[in-house]
């Protein structure tokens, strides 16, 4: 089963394009939860994803609840700078979903509060508020793939 990256209301097209490229490189499915802060025909979105867009399985959703309804058996991990556990504290499995919030605000606090045991953070110094969204997604994705033995990858 593929892994899944869920972007909740992403705002910066270049970040989404970079994440799409990582998805193409790893066979990961990409879920975009609307509203988006850009149009999907945005030139910078396409430029960041290069010519890999046809290799990306992309699903659009009107809400995060819609994603959960479509995948009721999915395990969802929520990223936040406010989480207690680090991303390396989890054991990932095929089919897991990694949920990232918008660049300026992250995920809604009520979503994090409802899922505290599934929240994870990437360690950073106190000199910055957070890492770049596409970097964060790549770090978490490749940790999951490492744990799974990089299936179907060379």
């Amino acid at each position: 089963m593929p892994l899944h990256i869920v972007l909740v209301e992403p705002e910066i097209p270049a970040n989404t394009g970079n994440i799409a490229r990582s998805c193409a490189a790893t066979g990961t499915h990409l879920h975009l939860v609307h509203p988006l802060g850009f149009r999907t025909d945005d030139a910078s979105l396409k430029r960041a994803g290069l010519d890999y867009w046809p290799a990306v399985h992309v699903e659009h959703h009107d809400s995060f609840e819609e994603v959960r309804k479509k995948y009721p058996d999915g395990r969802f991990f929520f990223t936040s700078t406010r989480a207690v556990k680090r991303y390396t504290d989890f054991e990932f499995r095929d089919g897991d979903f990694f949920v990232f919030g918008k660049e300026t605000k992250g995920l809604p606090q009520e979503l994090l509060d409802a899922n505290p045991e599934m929240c994870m953070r990437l360690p950073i110094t106190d000199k910055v508020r957070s890492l770049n969204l596409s970097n964060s997604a790549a770090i978490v994705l490749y940790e999951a793939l490492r744990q799974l033995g990089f299936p179907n990858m060379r």
Side-chain angles (χ1 to χ4, degrees):
M1 290 182 59
L3 294 171
H4 301 261
I5 290 182
V6 180
L7 302 181
V8 178
E9 301 179 11
E11 301 168 310
I12 301 173
N15 283 334
T16 300
N18 288 335
I19 292 167
R21 187 173 178 178
S22 293
C23 288
T26 61
T28 300
H29 290 193
L30 178 60
H31 302 264
L32 300 177
V33 177
H34 290 245
L36 307 179
F38 50 86
R39 294 174 19 175
T40 55
D41 63 353
D42 186 289
S44 58
L45 175 72
K46 290 184 179 186
R47 186 171 40 254
L50 294 175
D51 57 344
Y52 299 113
W53 280 103
V56 182
H57 177 95
V58 182
E59 293 184 30
H60 291 265
H61 307 275
D62 291 327
S63 67
F64 179 69
E65 293 75 27
E66 185 179 296
V67 179
R68 281 210 123 140
K69 283 181 185 175
K70 185 169 181 179
Y71 298 94
D73 297 326
R75 279 196 335 157
F76 290 84
F77 294 89
F78 303 90
T79 58
S80 172
T81 58
R82 302 178 300 271
V84 175
K85 293 182 181 178
R86 294 178 299 214
Y87 73 104
T88 53
D89 294 335
F90 293 91
E91 290 185 24
F92 301 118
R93 313 191 285 236
D94 286 339
D96 282 345
F97 289 75
F98 304 109
V99 184
F100 297 86
K102 62 174 76 177
E103 288 90 341
T104 58
K105 295 182 182 177
L107 291 168
Q109 188 62 46
E110 58 271 11
L111 186 58
L112 300 173
D113 290 345
N115 301 281
E117 71 288 349
M118 301 304 277
C119 292
M120 61 183 172
R121 66 180 170 82
L122 282 80
I124 56 174
T125 67
D126 59 3
K127 300 196 182 346
V128 297
R129 287 184 304 281
S130 64
L131 290 173
N132 172 276
L133 178 63
S134 61
N135 291 338
S136 297
I139 290 167
V140 171
L141 176 59
Y142 270 85
E143 172 59 17
L145 290 166
R146 183 194 69 79
Q147 289 183 20
L148 297 171
F150 299 104
N152 303 313
M153 300 173 71
R154 57 178 165 92

